[in-house]
Amino acid sequence: MRTWNLRQSVNLSIALSFIGLLIVFPFQQTFVGGLFFAAFCAATIGGLADSFAVSALFGQPLKVRWPNWLGTNIIARNRDRLIDELVDMVEHELLSTEMIIKQLKGYDAATVIVHYVESNEGKQAIKGLLRQLLTDLLKVSNPAVFSLSLNRLINQGLQHSKLTPIIQQFITWSVKEKYDHMLISAVSKQLRKLLEKPGVKQFLHEFIATALRSYEQNKKGRQFVNGVAGLNADELTEKLLKIADDLLLAIQDHDHPLQLKLQQYIVGFSNRLQEDEVYAADISRKIEVLFEKLTASLLTTDTISNFLMQLRDQLDQSEYEHEEGVLASWLDSKVDELLSSLRFRQELLEQFNHYVRSALMQFVERNHTYVGQLVRTKLEQFDVEQLIALVQEKTAKDLQYIRLNGTAVGSLIGVLLYLIQYSLGGVLS
């Protein structure tokens, strides 16, 4: 039932009670007439009294200026006190520090986070956030500073690292596990593939042709000897390539003398690194110099700049063209892997819960007064008319029920009092 219809119904019930009072007034000397007269009279009085009380909350009933001791215009006269009471109730009862902390102790933030990140929406949000964060970092990164930092980091790492013991241990382990055979065979296979490249044959051919021309120096005698002996660039190139290929193929045999010599050299190199400190220090310095030159030539500002640009392009392409690049795919896979394992990391979740609860409790204890200040600031924005309108809007239906209850309960009390009076009158007579 709407508030306006309820108000009309209450007004109608009070009016009907008054009309009923007038109708049964002549018959009040009879039992039935007296009973109805008491009921209608009490209902009318109860309804009017509660209507007066309800109207007195918001102003002057019947537009008459009543004495203050009657308690009219309650909200307007007690605006400041009402605000103080509401603020105190919210701050110290409804949202007290103890109540908020009690609720926080039972709050499982980790479960909420796990449910969110396991949902498709949560995963996409986290991936998008990480991509955006990485993109922004790449955009503000200075390639020159990046290059300088990487070179410095690698060089410092090399200077503070003892490379020769690591190399010696690696060689010892490789020999023990027979990886030296595999390494020599693998290198041999790759070199044979290299010899098949047209560029290698062309380079060797030009080198031999140049050497022959330098030897002959346009002298007929030498040209004649070379021609008789078959020393020309084409034949020499083919023969050298054939010899090199046969040698590389033969080296793949574990019992080949050259492979055995290489293995002996590797073992001897490892032993010397272990036994000769001066030699080991010299090798270490040479490796450091080599790495410094490699990093200086590879990790240049232009190289880093191009690399960062490629990474940004991959991320931008994944975002706008919906095509997953290598970096974006790798990042997504790592996020999926991390989020999938999150639920089973109970210790981490408990630590997260403890941290969130502690942080929120400390925040509440430090800033609890802001709750009352917020309520007070909001309420003080309303002037008297606005405050009255707000209370009427929020309580209109309940206040109409008060008037209705006053009419109904008044009628019942009237009937009860009449019956008691009638019974006592009969007893006394």
Side-chain angles (χ1 to χ4, degrees):
M1 183 183 294
R2 294 181 179 178
T3 303
W4 179 252
N5 293 336
L6 179 60
R7 182 179 181 182
Q8 289 181 326
S9 300
V10 175
N11 291 338
L12 180 62
S13 66
I14 296 175
L16 291 176
S17 297
F18 181 72
I19 293 172
L21 170 67
L22 296 178
I23 293 175
V24 299
F25 179 76
F27 309 103
Q28 59 178 314
Q29 301 300 326
T30 64
F31 174 76
V32 176
L35 183 65
F36 278 101
F37 179 79
F40 288 136
C41 183
T44 302
I45 295 172
L48 291 176
D50 285 346
S51 298
F52 182 92
V54 169
S55 299
L57 289 172
F58 309 109
Q60 299 288 353
L62 303 178
K63 306 299 181 181
V64 176
R65 189 173 184 81
W66 301 89
N68 289 338
W69 56 266
L70 283 178
T72 57
N73 204 20
I74 294 173
I75 294 178
R77 289 191 297 107
N78 297 277
R79 175 180 176 274
D80 293 338
R81 185 173 64 83
L82 287 173
I83 291 177
D84 291 339
E85 293 293 338
L86 286 173
V87 170
D88 183 74
M89 179 181 67
V90 172
E91 185 175 353
H92 297 103
E93 295 181 24
L94 297 179
L95 295 176
S96 64
T97 304
E98 294 76 13
M99 181 63 68
I100 295 176
I101 290 178
K102 181 180 179 181
Q103 294 299 320
L104 288 177
K105 288 181 178 179
Y107 181 65
D108 190 356
T111 300
V112 176
I113 295 297
V114 168
H115 284 319
Y116 176 72
V117 300
E118 286 183 345
S119 66
N120 185 61
E121 179 184 0
K123 288 182 178 180
Q124 294 303 321
I126 293 175
K127 291 176 182 178
L129 178 62
L130 289 177
R131 288 186 184 183
Q132 186 61 47
L133 177 61
L134 186 55
T135 301
D136 293 340
L137 288 175
L138 292 174
K139 287 180 179 179
V140 300
S141 298
N142 188 325
V145 176
F146 216 120
S147 174
L148 180 62
S149 300
L150 283 176
N151 279 283
R152 184 178 299 171
L153 179 63
I154 293 174
N155 293 334
Q156 289 178 351
L158 290 173
Q159 291 173 2
H160 292 85
S161 301
K162 295 182 178 180
L163 297 177
T164 50
I166 299 175
I167 295 173
Q168 190 274 327
Q169 292 176 6
F170 175 75
I171 293 175
T172 302
W173 173 80
S174 300
V175 172
K176 180 180 178 181
E177 299 296 330
K178 305 299 182 182
Y179 283 113
D180 55 337
H181 300 292
M182 297 174 60
L183 178 61
I184 293 173
S185 298
V187 172
S188 174
K189 290 178 182 178
Q190 295 302 318
L191 289 176
R192 290 187 67 202
K193 291 181 179 180
L194 181 63
L195 292 177
E196 296 174 358
K197 301 292 184 181
V200 175
K201 184 176 182 179
Q202 181 180 357
F203 171 77
L204 185 59
H205 183 276
E206 292 177 356
F207 177 78
I208 294 174
T210 302
L212 288 175
R213 285 195 300 268
S214 177
Y215 168 74
E216 292 174 354
Q217 296 180 352
N218 294 324
K219 294 180 179 180
K220 299 298 182 179
R222 293 184 179 182
Q223 292 177 356
F224 176 76
V225 172
N226 288 342
V228 172
L231 297 178
N232 59 75
D234 292 335
E235 292 185 7
L236 288 176
T237 301
E238 293 296 336
K239 288 180 180 180
L240 286 176
L241 289 175
K242 182 66 170 62
I243 292 171
D245 184 71
D246 293 341
L247 178 62
L248 291 174
L249 179 61
I251 288 178
Q252 296 180 24
D253 184 2
H254 294 177
D255 296 326
H256 192 274
L258 186 55
Q259 182 169 147
L260 295 176
K261 287 183 178 181
L262 288 173
Q263 293 169 3
Q264 291 174 1
Y265 174 78
I266 292 173
V267 173
F269 176 73
S270 174
N271 294 334
R272 190 174 180 185
L273 285 178
Q274 186 176 12
E275 298 169 358
D276 191 341
E277 295 182 359
V278 176
Y279 179 74
D282 182 61
I283 293 296
S284 181
R285 282 193 299 270
K286 289 180 179 179
I287 293 175
E288 291 177 11
V289 172
L290 176 62
F291 268 99
E292 288 178 4
K293 291 181 179 180
L294 285 175
T295 54
S297 61
L298 294 177
L299 302 178
T300 62
T301 301
D302 292 338
T303 304
I304 297 298
S305 179
N306 293 332
F307 178 70
L308 295 178
M309 188 178 299
Q310 290 177 3
L311 294 180
R312 290 198 301 267
D313 292 342
Q314 284 192 21
L315 292 174
D316 291 339
Q317 182 182 18
S318 300
E319 181 177 359
Y320 297 109
E321 300 180 9
H322 305 289
E323 295 181 4
E324 294 295 328
V326 176
L327 178 60
S329 299
W330 176 84
L331 186 63
D332 288 351
S333 65
K334 291 301 178 183
V335 171
D336 290 334
E337 181 181 341
L338 176 62
L339 296 182
S340 300
S341 64
L342 188 60
R343 174 179 291 276
F344 305 101
R345 304 178 66 176
Q346 293 298 325
E347 184 177 353
L348 178 62
L349 296 179
E350 288 298 327
Q351 291 177 355
F352 177 78
N353 268 336
H354 177 73
Y355 171 78
V356 171
R357 290 168 185 166
S358 300
L360 290 177
M361 288 177 186
Q362 292 176 7
F363 178 82
V364 169
E365 291 174 351
R366 288 196 306 265
N367 303 281
H368 183 257
T369 55
Y370 286 107
V371 174
Q373 294 177 13
L374 180 63
V375 176
R376 182 180 297 279
T377 301
K378 185 63 178 178
L379 290 177
E380 288 181 347
Q381 293 177 356
F382 298 97
D383 56 23
V384 174
E385 289 75 15
Q386 291 174 330
L387 185 61
I388 290 174
L390 176 66
V391 176
Q392 283 180 325
E393 178 185 355
K394 301 301 181 182
T395 63
K397 186 175 182 180
D398 298 315
L399 293 176
Q400 295 308 316
Y401 275 116
I402 290 176
R403 295 176 61 211
L404 182 62
N405 291 336
T407 303
V409 174
S411 174
L412 293 175
I413 292 177
V415 170
L416 179 62
L417 291 177
Y418 180 80
L419 292 175
I420 293 175
Q421 179 186 4
Y422 187 83
S423 300
L424 290 176
V427 173
L428 293 176
S429 62

